[in-house]
Amino acid sequence: MSQRKRLFALVFAVTAPLLLLAAAFVVISVRDAQDRAEQESEAIARAGAVAAGSFIDGHVRALQAVSAGVRHAPDLTEDELREEILLRLGVNPEWDGMSVVDSNGIVLAGSRPDSTGIDLSGRAYLQEMFATGRPAVSDGVLTIGEGVPSILIAAPVRFSDGTTGGVIGQLTLSTISDALTRSLTTDARVGLIDSAGQTLIHSDPTRAAALTQVSDRPEVVAGHRGEAGTVEVDRNGRSTLVAYAPVEPLGWVVTVAEDSSAAFANADAIARRGAFLIGIALVAVVACGWYVGSRMGRSYDELQAARTAEAEARERAEAALRSRDEFISIASHELRNPVAAIRGFGQLMQRRLARGTLAGDDLHEYIDSIASSGAYLSRLVEDLLSVSRLEGGRMDLRLETVDVAEVVRRATIESPLKEHSLVIDQPTEPLVTSLDADRITQVLVNLLENAAKYSPAGSEIRLTVALDADEVRISVSDSGIGLPPDELARLFAPFGRATNAREANIPGLGLGLYVSRRLAEAHGGTLLASSAGVGRGSTFTLVLPFVEAPTTDPPPPTSDDPGTPANVSLEAGKGAPA
């Protein structure tokens, strides 16, 4: 045997155990990466369960606080009781409906006039409330008449005449979905299943709207047993990793589903890298046996150090992720509507004082509620400052003579539509009137950004300026998700949002259109909304009074004029602006 063959055999004999060890290390690393992926998915599911439980618990406590205010229901007429209910419903904008029942489960009055007299005694959640004397939460239901998928929360009430009853609050599934998706930052598909196995939240809104039954799925069965973990299943021909965690004590289950290829991408990458390294090592043994021996130990040490550093970095990242998710889930519950609660209870105290029906016990409860709500004040105050100024009449306008074309130009510069085509149609002659340019620019920027947010990328957005008699009309039209005809008036109320926007999980507080209309009204005009229906686009029209002003020659353009954004085209139908 030649020296080369002997050296090759010796090197191969020496390196073969190392190659086997490297292969084993790759296998173990892949398994560890898969375990970490499963643990991360389970941590997200547990965080979602905490967020869902905190969300429901917060509304249970809010409903208990509200129940103290309807203790005098037997002393009120149906209209008076409905007025009290609507007042409390306004304090809690996330509630879609509310009603008060007597000890037999008969509705005394509700936020909807047609609900009076309905017999709810057969409802399981109401029976549980009367049996235990504690608040009860229903599984998913389709509301009577409207068929809106919701959950109902019932809290017991001892009326002033000594009888008992209850207050029922309605939360739509879209509201719960919004809260849960805000609390979790993940690209995985988040689901929520109730104790009856009905789908409350799903990536496909139609499944949640139909309360699809999934009680036989393994993750749901395990979650209903109070277990948390992961399971790999075949869904629609694709391998899917599903993490699950129970929502105590509701008996619900939060699921987090992700394609296995995406969930285990890091493990697959480790396997590919390991296979590549082992192949290189084999080639090196065959071609350069004497060099492999000196390099193999060094390469192994470097790989081990790299894996250790990667594991430590991932552990730190996972710890930071868990801390962040826990903070978001708590903050999303603790910062909910404190200002509305304080104002609502204050108004309620004024009304009760004016009527002379405010008892000492009630006063103590109201003051306690206001004090506890005040502790929740945070960043939300800043978001509501503009609304507060408008409500208090402290929004001063700085009126000046302005060419409307200049205001439009400023709005298109401040709100560049990078993913949409903006078409501007305006008169060729200057349209000069008196207005606050900054405030009207704010309104137009809001309308343009709304049009972009609710319409598909690449679609056309049209801005039209016209003089109609003694009014200037500026319209922004899109071809987006449109508006339900019966919800146009709600859009301009504080926190008012269309149902299809909430169901599509498009983010927003529902304050922009309210502030915009109030600014238009401060100018003596208004803001109007119209739509041909859901999926057929929307048009928002800003109407301002036209105040004639002496026309002057426009100043020559300067060299630093930013001009019109590149994605804006000017219609020739009415001419390009001067």
Side-chain angles (χ1 to χ4, degrees), residues 487-534:
E487 296 187 13
L488 295 179
R490 289 177 50 191
L491 297 177
F492 299 105
F495 305 103
R497 301 192 70 209
T499 303
N500 57 336
R502 295 197 305 267
E503 291 175 350
N505 290 329
I506 299 176
L509 290 176
L511 290 177
L513 289 177
Y514 168 70
V515 173
S516 295
R517 171 174 271 191
R518 292 299 301 274
L519 289 175
E521 292 173 347
H523 282 78
T526 188
L527 180 62
L528 306 175
S530 62
S531 174
V534 175

Side-chain angles (χ1 to χ4, degrees), residues 438-473:
D438 291 336
R439 296 302 181 188
I440 298 304
T441 300
Q442 177 184 350
V443 174
L444 294 182
V445 167
N446 178 60
L447 296 182
L448 290 172
E449 291 180 348
N450 274 2
K453 181 165 61 173
Y454 295 109
S455 57
S459 62
E460 179 182 280
I461 296 173
R462 180 174 291 271
L463 190 152
T464 304
V465 180
L467 178 61
D468 184 6
D470 58 348
E471 293 179 339
V472 177
R473 304 178 74 89

